[in-house]
Each structure stands twice: as C-alpha cells, then as structure tokens.
Amino acid sequence: MRAKLSYTVTAAVLVFYFVLAGSRGVLLIRHGTLLTVTFGVAVLILPVIGVWFLWKNTQFVRRANALAAELDAEGGLPVDELERTPSGRIDRASADAVFTRRREETEDSPDDWRCWFRLAVAYQDARDTPRARKAMQRAIALHANKPVRA
C-alpha cells in the first residue's frame, strides 16, 4: 500500500511539473521571436518525454499487478521464505539461494509466465532491479502471447 501511495504522489507531482513546464513553453512560443519559439519548443520536449515515460511505467506496473492478482488467485505467488537481518533487510545468502531455485525453475519451463514472474521477484529480492524488470517484462509478454525479445 505504501508503494502505491508513493507512486501516486510522485506521479501527481510529475504531472504538475509537466503542466507547469508545458505552460511556460507555450508562453515562450506565443512570444513569437525566433529565440523564444526555439526555447519554447525545447521546453515542451521535456514534458512530452516525461509523460511518455510516466505512461509506460504506469502500464508496466498495472500489468505486473494484474499478473500478481492472477497468480494469487491461482495460489501460485512465491512464499516469503527469506531470512532477514535484525533490521528487517533480506539476507543476501538467503535471497541467492531462492534465486537459484527460481532460475532453475525458469530454465525448466522457459515459456511459463508464472516462472518468469517468480524469477522477477527473486531478482528484486536479490537487489537486481534491472534484471527483475526484464524478467517481469518477459512474464507480461508471455502472458499476453506476444513475441518475446531475447
């Protein structure tokens, strides 16, 4: 719940920034000189890129959450069996052991989105966010029966 709230607040702040920057870009373009129009277009590019990036990330999160809900309904979500330090952080050796099992499971069933989902969770627990994201993207693509990029 905390992650959803943080994401929503961050997205709202970004949208506010995009609107503010976009309005400044429009004002610069309206001024009408070559220099202000050039700066105005340059200022408008950043909010456009930002909106695209925010949209793609929101789609990713919604799709990943839909997979999690489906896997939960099937009773297939990975069980939290990780050992933790006294401060509550995941023990690295424990995360590595679970990751090894998840990787082997995925190698045995490379076309099963459920395995890729669980592998993504294991990558995240092992603090390897880029690989976790790629594994989740693969799970989403397999679930949607889309071609998977290697």
Side-chain angles (χ1 to χ4, degrees), residues 37-105:
V37 169
T38 303
F39 280 142
V41 169
V43 167
L44 283 177
I45 289 173
L46 289 176
V48 168
I49 292 170
V51 166
W52 174 82
F53 183 76
L54 184 61
W55 174 253
K56 294 302 276 183
N57 277 311
T58 302
Q59 282 183 316
F60 173 77
V61 168
R62 291 183 72 213
R63 289 176 181 150
N65 284 340
L67 291 186
E70 186 174 333
L71 204 54
D72 186 30
E74 295 174 357
L77 277 180
V79 178
D80 186 2
E81 55 189 308
L82 299 169
E83 296 176 19
R84 303 199 184 266
T85 63
S87 65
R89 297 190 83 187
I90 295 171
D91 179 59
R92 182 67 181 215
S94 174
D96 289 344
V98 171
F99 170 77
T100 301
R101 284 200 327 268
R102 298 293 182 214
R103 186 186 68 224
E104 290 169 357
E105 175 186 293

Side-chain angles (χ1 to χ4, degrees), residues 3-18 54:
K4 286 183 181 181
L5 180 63
S6 296
Y7 189 83
T8 303
V9 168
T10 303
V13 169
L14 283 172
V15 168
F16 176 75
Y17 166 75
F18 298 152
L54 184 61

